[in-house]
Amino acid sequence: MSVTATVLAAEDGGGKSFWETAFPVIPHPGELIFGLIAIGILYYVVARHVVPRLEQVYAERAEAIEGGIKKAEIAQAEAAAALQQYRDELAQARAERARIIQQAAEEAAAVAAEIRQRAQDEAERITTAATQQIQAERQAALVQLRQEVGRLAVDLASRVVGESLEDEARQRRVVDTFLADLESAEATAGQGF
């Protein structure tokens, strides 16, 4: 519709005022008052009942989130403490393991030294016993050899001299003299070299 048509319609009168025809968007004063009162009541209800409830829900949610954050921080601190305790226990276990290994090595060295010492003592004992046995056998061999040499010497001397040397005392003197002469001859020969 054009402006002229509007003006003509306004002149027509049709029972409408100029304001109604010229500005059709502006509400009627009664509607305006009713709308303002309705908005006021709505504002009052929202401000009185809805906003406090929303504030309460917001506060509860913020508190729950902050509590969750605090719980998470506490849990994280506990986890860090548990991790540190685990690391400390692990370090102690490693130190204990190293100490046990060191102690076992020392004990093994001590046992090895003790076994070596026992073996050495046993070897010395066996050597001493063997030496003593050799000495005893040597003495026995020397005694037996002297007796044999004495008997042979007596037999030989009896044949050479032509008389019997049956008397045991006489035999011993002859044998002892012969062996003493033999030993002195060996000693002189040993010094001559």
Side-chain angles (χ1 to χ4, degrees):
M1 214 165 154
S2 68
V3 178
T4 48
T6 309
V7 172
L8 286 176
E11 289 178 1
D12 241 8
K16 292 189 179 182
S17 70
F18 172 75
W19 285 103
E20 288 178 356
T21 55
F23 304 106
V25 180
I26 295 180
H28 195 296
E31 290 176 357
L32 188 61
I33 292 172
F34 178 75
L36 287 173
I37 291 173
I39 288 174
I41 291 172
L42 184 63
Y43 176 78
Y44 176 76
V45 169
V46 168
R48 185 83 165 154
H49 298 290
V50 175
V51 171
R53 178 69 184 137
L54 289 176
E55 288 289 331
Q56 182 182 4
V57 169
Y58 174 75
E60 288 174 357
R61 170 118 349 143
E63 186 177 313
I65 291 171
E66 288 177 4
I69 290 172
K70 286 182 183 177
K71 286 179 184 177
E73 288 173 352
I74 291 171
Q76 188 175 11
E78 288 175 354
L83 179 63
Q84 185 62 37
Q85 182 180 2
Y86 168 75
R87 286 180 179 162
D88 292 343
E89 289 174 359
L90 184 61
Q92 289 175 352
R94 285 181 178 157
E96 182 69 17
R97 181 190 68 183
R99 186 189 64 77
I100 289 172
I101 289 172
Q102 177 70 24
Q103 184 178 8
E106 290 172 358
E107 288 176 3
V111 167
E114 182 179 339
I115 289 172
R116 267 189 240 113
Q117 184 62 39
R118 284 183 187 173
Q120 200 171 30
D121 292 345
E122 184 68 17
E124 287 177 10
R125 186 188 64 76
I126 290 171
T127 304
T128 304
T131 304
Q132 288 174 351
Q133 185 177 359
I134 290 170
Q135 285 288 37
E137 288 176 5
R138 182 173 179 236
Q139 288 295 348
L142 281 176
V143 167
Q144 188 179 6
L145 185 62
R146 275 186 169 207
Q147 287 174 355
E148 190 68 27
V149 167
R151 192 174 46 81
L152 289 174
V154 168
D155 287 343
L156 185 63
S158 294
R159 285 185 196 163
V160 170
V161 172
E163 71 180 76
S164 171
L165 296 174
E166 299 271 328
D167 184 20
E168 196 173 313
R170 186 184 272 174
Q171 284 180 2
R172 269 198 200 144
R173 276 195 315 264
V174 170
V175 168
D176 287 340
T177 306
F178 176 73
L179 288 177
D181 290 343
L182 186 63
E183 286 176 0
S184 65
E186 285 179 3
T188 319
Q191 290 176 356
F193 285 115

